[in-house]
Amino acid sequence: MFSFRRGSVNFIKGNIALIAISTLLLINAGHYGENAVGFWVVFLFVAEMFLLLWASASGWENGQEGEFVRSNVFTKAGLLKGIWGLLLFVGALGFISLRTNSSQEGVPFPASISLWFLTINALWASASIVAPKTMLRFYWATVYEEHSKTFWAETFRYLTLYFGLLNTEVHLKILHLPFFLHRLLAILFVLCLTICTFTMLTIF
């Protein structure tokens, strides 16, 4: 059974993610190239078109999500370790971005966070075309299952939680679709991420 409310909620969630990605790009508006406005239009148009398709498809009742239950394995100590690990990663990313930007090449920081986010999700989404449930199970095993509480283990958990979230949410909501329709949306998702990634590169 189709639920307009379910589809609308997913569309809103998708747009919240798009706003977060766009905000990081807007922070570096001073570094935009001459044709940035045109590339922005392409970026937003492609993203919104896919969100409309995905949200419409996700409105149908999904019995596949029951396999993937979010367990409460997060602790304050693990959160602190994960935050420190994320800060180290973002700091390293910022350093690399500043070095490349000093020579007028590459995407400046913090817009580079959005670039890495889309790039990693594009790679993850490409693998999900072939084995969507395998990729979802890997994400769940890394993020929501108990494992060692070492600094690096918690860092990897939170890095996976953040950088794999977009692909996971997209595929989780369309698992119930027939094989060919699911694969078609999966391919369109990869194309959307690829176009948005290259568009982001050309904005600067």
Side-chain angles (χ1 to χ4, degrees):
M1 182 179 295
F2 182 81
S3 170
F4 179 78
R5 180 179 179 276
R6 186 186 300 117
S8 298
V9 169
N10 288 331
F11 183 69
I12 292 171
K13 287 181 179 179
N15 274 281
I16 290 174
L18 181 59
I19 289 172
I21 293 170
S22 300
T23 299
L24 293 176
L25 295 179
L26 289 170
I27 292 175
N28 294 120
H31 297 270
Y32 286 178
E34 295 180 359
N35 301 315
V37 175
F39 289 122
W40 257 111
V41 172
V42 174
F43 176 82
L44 294 175
F45 177 78
V46 171
E48 287 293 344
M49 287 301 98
F50 177 78
L51 284 176
L52 279 171
L53 283 174
W54 171 72
S56 300
S58 68
W60 294 96
E61 187 173 354
N62 188 351
Q64 298 285 332
E65 290 187 53
E67 179 182 345
F68 302 97
V69 179
R70 290 178 169 86
S71 304
N72 187 15
V73 296
F74 303 101
T75 63
K76 290 182 179 179
L79 177 61
L80 289 174
K81 292 176 183 177
I83 289 175
W84 276 110
L86 285 172
L87 288 174
L88 284 174
F89 179 82
V90 171
L93 183 59
F95 177 75
I96 294 171
S97 299
L98 289 173
R99 288 293 298 274
T100 55
N101 193 49
S102 63
S103 58
Q104 303 300 317
E105 297 178 356
V107 178
F109 184 82
S112 53
I113 296 176
S114 290
L115 178 64
W116 276 94
F117 179 80
L118 291 182
T119 302
I120 292 173
N121 274 280
L123 294 173
W124 207 315
S126 298
S128 295
I129 294 175
V130 180
K133 280 198 172 183
T134 300
M135 299 307 295
L136 285 173
R137 287 171 183 143
F138 171 78
Y139 181 87
W140 243 255
T142 305
V143 176
Y144 294 111
E145 289 187 6
E146 291 283 358
H147 49 63
S148 62
K149 302 293 184 180
T150 63
F151 173 80
W152 293 113
E154 291 299 321
T155 296
F156 187 62
R157 183 202 297 274
Y158 283 92
L159 284 173
T160 304
L161 174 65
Y162 172 72
F163 282 102
L165 182 61
L166 180 61
N167 178 72
T168 298
E169 287 299 317
V170 166
H171 279 276
L172 187 63
K173 302 301 182 183
I174 60 173
L175 275 178
H176 60 292
L177 297 177
F179 178 86
F180 289 107
L181 185 55
H182 177 273
R183 293 309 191 271
L184 175 61
L185 273 176
I187 292 171
L188 289 176
F189 181 46
V190 173
L191 288 175
C192 173
L193 290 173
T194 303
I195 292 172
C196 287
T197 300
F198 280 101
T199 303
M200 190 181 298
L201 287 169
T202 53
I203 287 175
F204 296 95

